[in-house]
mmCIF file of all heavy atoms in Angstrom:
data_model
loop_
_atom_site.group_PDB
_atom_site.id
_atom_site.type_symbol
_atom_site.label_atom_id
_atom_site.label_comp_id
_atom_site.label_asym_id
_atom_site.label_seq_id
_atom_site.Cartn_x
_atom_site.Cartn_y
_atom_site.Cartn_z
ATOM 1 N N VAL A 1437 9.720 -130.386 -58.304
ATOM 2 C CA VAL A 1437 10.046 -131.810 -58.245
ATOM 3 C C VAL A 1437 10.398 -132.236 -56.821
ATOM 4 O O VAL A 1437 9.937 -133.266 -56.323
ATOM 5 C CB VAL A 1437 11.225 -132.119 -59.197
ATOM 6 C CG1 VAL A 1437 11.572 -133.594 -59.148
ATOM 7 C CG2 VAL A 1437 10.877 -131.692 -60.605
ATOM 8 N N LYS A 1438 11.186 -131.403 -56.176
ATOM 9 C CA LYS A 1438 11.661 -131.768 -54.845
ATOM 10 C C LYS A 1438 10.489 -131.983 -53.888
ATOM 11 O O LYS A 1438 10.381 -132.993 -53.217
ATOM 12 C CB LYS A 1438 12.569 -130.655 -54.324
ATOM 13 C CG LYS A 1438 13.703 -131.176 -53.491
ATOM 14 C CD LYS A 1438 14.833 -130.157 -53.410
ATOM 15 C CE LYS A 1438 14.446 -128.989 -52.553
ATOM 16 N NZ LYS A 1438 15.470 -127.923 -52.527
ATOM 17 N N LYS A 1439 9.596 -131.008 -53.890
ATOM 18 C CA LYS A 1439 8.460 -131.084 -52.970
ATOM 19 C C LYS A 1439 7.556 -132.257 -53.329
ATOM 20 O O LYS A 1439 6.998 -132.909 -52.443
ATOM 21 C CB LYS A 1439 7.648 -129.787 -53.041
ATOM 22 C CG LYS A 1439 8.005 -128.790 -51.969
ATOM 23 C CD LYS A 1439 6.921 -127.729 -51.916
ATOM 24 C CE LYS A 1439 7.438 -126.485 -51.220
ATOM 25 N NZ LYS A 1439 6.660 -125.302 -51.610
ATOM 26 N N THR A 1440 7.385 -132.501 -54.614
ATOM 27 C CA THR A 1440 6.491 -133.572 -55.047
ATOM 28 C C THR A 1440 7.018 -134.920 -54.569
ATOM 29 O O THR A 1440 6.263 -135.755 -54.060
ATOM 30 C CB THR A 1440 6.353 -133.583 -56.575
ATOM 31 O OG1 THR A 1440 6.008 -132.272 -57.002
ATOM 32 C CG2 THR A 1440 5.299 -134.560 -57.031
ATOM 33 N N ILE A 1441 8.341 -135.108 -54.711
ATOM 34 C CA ILE A 1441 8.918 -136.379 -54.283
ATOM 35 C C ILE A 1441 8.820 -136.536 -52.772
ATOM 36 O O ILE A 1441 8.433 -137.579 -52.251
ATOM 37 C CB ILE A 1441 10.386 -136.477 -54.740
ATOM 38 C CG1 ILE A 1441 10.421 -136.603 -56.261
ATOM 39 C CG2 ILE A 1441 11.082 -137.667 -54.079
ATOM 40 C CD1 ILE A 1441 11.813 -136.645 -56.835
ATOM 41 N N ARG A 1442 9.103 -135.439 -52.071
ATOM 42 C CA ARG A 1442 9.022 -135.522 -50.620
ATOM 43 C C ARG A 1442 7.598 -135.855 -50.194
ATOM 44 O O ARG A 1442 7.362 -136.667 -49.319
ATOM 45 C CB ARG A 1442 9.466 -134.208 -49.991
ATOM 46 C CG ARG A 1442 9.771 -134.363 -48.523
ATOM 47 C CD ARG A 1442 10.111 -133.027 -47.904
ATOM 48 N NE ARG A 1442 11.277 -132.394 -48.514
ATOM 49 C CZ ARG A 1442 11.361 -131.084 -48.769
ATOM 50 N NH1 ARG A 1442 10.346 -130.287 -48.493
ATOM 51 N NH2 ARG A 1442 12.445 -130.587 -49.284
ATOM 52 N N GLY A 1443 6.625 -135.248 -50.872
ATOM 53 C CA GLY A 1443 5.226 -135.489 -50.554
ATOM 54 C C GLY A 1443 4.818 -136.912 -50.858
ATOM 55 O O GLY A 1443 3.937 -137.484 -50.206
ATOM 56 N N SER A 1444 5.452 -137.534 -51.860
ATOM 57 C CA SER A 1444 5.035 -138.865 -52.270
ATOM 58 C C SER A 1444 5.423 -139.923 -51.237
ATOM 59 O O SER A 1444 4.884 -141.033 -51.256
ATOM 60 C CB SER A 1444 5.651 -139.205 -53.625
ATOM 61 O OG SER A 1444 7.014 -139.502 -53.454
ATOM 62 N N LEU A 1445 6.348 -139.583 -50.351
ATOM 63 C CA LEU A 1445 6.752 -140.558 -49.327
ATOM 64 C C LEU A 1445 5.547 -140.994 -48.501
ATOM 65 O O LEU A 1445 5.430 -142.144 -48.099
ATOM 66 C CB LEU A 1445 7.815 -139.948 -48.422
ATOM 67 C CG LEU A 1445 9.151 -139.661 -49.115
ATOM 68 C CD1 LEU A 1445 10.126 -139.043 -48.142
ATOM 69 C CD2 LEU A 1445 9.739 -140.931 -49.700
ATOM 70 N N GLU A 1446 4.672 -140.054 -48.276
ATOM 71 C CA GLU A 1446 3.469 -140.318 -47.482
ATOM 72 C C GLU A 1446 2.618 -141.419 -48.111
ATOM 73 O O GLU A 1446 1.917 -142.151 -47.433
ATOM 74 C CB GLU A 1446 2.678 -139.009 -47.422
ATOM 75 C CG GLU A 1446 1.591 -138.966 -46.397
ATOM 76 C CD GLU A 1446 0.827 -137.648 -46.498
ATOM 77 O OE1 GLU A 1446 1.363 -136.678 -47.104
ATOM 78 O OE2 GLU A 1446 -0.289 -137.592 -45.986
ATOM 79 N N PHE A 1447 2.699 -141.541 -49.430
ATOM 80 C CA PHE A 1447 1.864 -142.511 -50.129
ATOM 81 C C PHE A 1447 2.678 -143.670 -50.686
ATOM 82 O O PHE A 1447 2.362 -144.187 -51.751
ATOM 83 C CB PHE A 1447 1.115 -141.806 -51.264
ATOM 84 C CG PHE A 1447 0.366 -140.598 -50.807
ATOM 85 C CD1 PHE A 1447 0.771 -139.325 -51.178
ATOM 86 C CD2 PHE A 1447 -0.730 -140.734 -49.970
ATOM 87 C CE1 PHE A 1447 0.094 -138.226 -50.740
ATOM 88 C CE2 PHE A 1447 -1.416 -139.628 -49.531
ATOM 89 C CZ PHE A 1447 -1.003 -138.363 -49.903
ATOM 90 N N GLY A 1448 3.710 -144.002 -50.006
ATOM 91 C CA GLY A 1448 4.506 -145.132 -50.460
ATOM 92 C C GLY A 1448 5.175 -144.893 -51.794
ATOM 93 O O GLY A 1448 5.245 -145.779 -52.630
ATOM 94 N N GLY A 1449 5.626 -143.707 -52.023
ATOM 95 C CA GLY A 1449 6.380 -143.412 -53.226
ATOM 96 C C GLY A 1449 5.530 -143.064 -54.438
ATOM 97 O O GLY A 1449 6.058 -142.796 -55.502
ATOM 98 N N VAL A 1450 4.218 -143.121 -54.257
ATOM 99 C CA VAL A 1450 3.364 -142.748 -55.385
ATOM 100 C C VAL A 1450 3.097 -141.246 -55.322
ATOM 101 O O VAL A 1450 2.603 -140.755 -54.317
ATOM 102 C CB VAL A 1450 2.019 -143.506 -55.312
ATOM 103 C CG1 VAL A 1450 1.185 -143.168 -56.545
ATOM 104 C CG2 VAL A 1450 2.275 -144.989 -55.191
ATOM 105 N N PRO A 1451 3.421 -140.521 -56.372
ATOM 106 C CA PRO A 1451 3.233 -139.060 -56.322
ATOM 107 C C PRO A 1451 1.764 -138.680 -56.462
ATOM 108 O O PRO A 1451 1.324 -138.286 -57.542
ATOM 109 C CB PRO A 1451 4.071 -138.546 -57.493
ATOM 110 C CG PRO A 1451 4.151 -139.696 -58.440
ATOM 111 C CD PRO A 1451 4.063 -140.947 -57.631
ATOM 112 N N PHE A 1452 1.015 -138.853 -55.387
ATOM 113 C CA PHE A 1452 -0.408 -138.553 -55.425
ATOM 114 C C PHE A 1452 -0.665 -137.067 -55.595
ATOM 115 O O PHE A 1452 -1.566 -136.641 -56.276
ATOM 116 C CB PHE A 1452 -1.087 -139.009 -54.131
ATOM 117 C CG PHE A 1452 -1.761 -140.323 -54.293
ATOM 118 C CD1 PHE A 1452 -1.338 -141.420 -53.579
ATOM 119 C CD2 PHE A 1452 -2.837 -140.445 -55.152
ATOM 120 C CE1 PHE A 1452 -1.967 -142.633 -53.731
ATOM 121 C CE2 PHE A 1452 -3.467 -141.649 -55.295
ATOM 122 C CZ PHE A 1452 -3.029 -142.759 -54.587
ATOM 123 N N ARG A 1453 0.136 -136.316 -54.906
ATOM 124 C CA ARG A 1453 -0.115 -134.874 -54.959
ATOM 125 C C ARG A 1453 1.042 -134.183 -55.655
ATOM 126 O O ARG A 1453 2.191 -134.344 -55.269
ATOM 127 C CB ARG A 1453 -0.295 -134.343 -53.552
ATOM 128 C CG ARG A 1453 -1.537 -133.499 -53.456
ATOM 129 C CD ARG A 1453 -1.832 -133.096 -52.048
ATOM 130 N NE ARG A 1453 -2.728 -134.055 -51.384
ATOM 131 C CZ ARG A 1453 -2.639 -134.346 -50.097
ATOM 132 N NH1 ARG A 1453 -1.694 -133.811 -49.362
ATOM 133 N NH2 ARG A 1453 -3.482 -135.200 -49.552
ATOM 134 N N ILE A 1454 0.685 -133.467 -56.680
ATOM 135 C CA ILE A 1454 1.702 -132.733 -57.426
ATOM 136 C C ILE A 1454 1.893 -131.365 -56.782
ATOM 137 O O ILE A 1454 0.909 -130.696 -56.471
ATOM 138 C CB ILE A 1454 1.250 -132.527 -58.890
ATOM 139 C CG1 ILE A 1454 0.747 -133.831 -59.482
ATOM 140 C CG2 ILE A 1454 2.363 -131.921 -59.724
ATOM 141 C CD1 ILE A 1454 1.806 -134.871 -59.662
ATOM 142 N N ARG A 1455 3.128 -131.018 -56.550
ATOM 143 C CA ARG A 1455 3.374 -129.702 -55.931
ATOM 144 C C ARG A 1455 3.943 -128.743 -56.963
ATOM 145 O O ARG A 1455 4.703 -129.151 -57.825
ATOM 146 C CB ARG A 1455 4.388 -129.831 -54.801
ATOM 147 C CG ARG A 1455 4.092 -130.934 -53.844
ATOM 148 C CD ARG A 1455 3.134 -130.469 -52.807
ATOM 149 N NE ARG A 1455 2.900 -131.541 -51.836
ATOM 150 C CZ ARG A 1455 2.280 -131.349 -50.697
ATOM 151 N NH1 ARG A 1455 1.857 -130.156 -50.374
ATOM 152 N NH2 ARG A 1455 2.095 -132.346 -49.877
ATOM 153 N N PHE A 1456 3.535 -127.508 -56.798
ATOM 154 C CA PHE A 1456 4.046 -126.485 -57.707
ATOM 155 C C PHE A 1456 4.843 -125.445 -56.942
ATOM 156 O O PHE A 1456 4.615 -125.230 -55.750
ATOM 157 C CB PHE A 1456 2.892 -125.801 -58.435
ATOM 158 C CG PHE A 1456 2.192 -126.724 -59.379
ATOM 159 C CD1 PHE A 1456 1.060 -127.426 -58.965
ATOM 160 C CD2 PHE A 1456 2.667 -126.914 -60.650
ATOM 161 C CE1 PHE A 1456 0.414 -128.284 -59.821
ATOM 162 C CE2 PHE A 1456 2.021 -127.770 -61.516
ATOM 163 C CZ PHE A 1456 0.897 -128.466 -61.102
#
Side-chain angles (χ1 to χ4, degrees):
Chain A
V1437 180
K1438 215 160 71 184
K1439 264 194 199 157
T1440 308
I1441 291 177
R1442 196 184 300 140
S1444 75
L1445 293 179
E1446 194 183 342
F1447 307 111
V1450 184
F1452 261 116
R1453 229 173 268 146
I1454 312 293
R1455 311 275 183 168
F1456 293 94

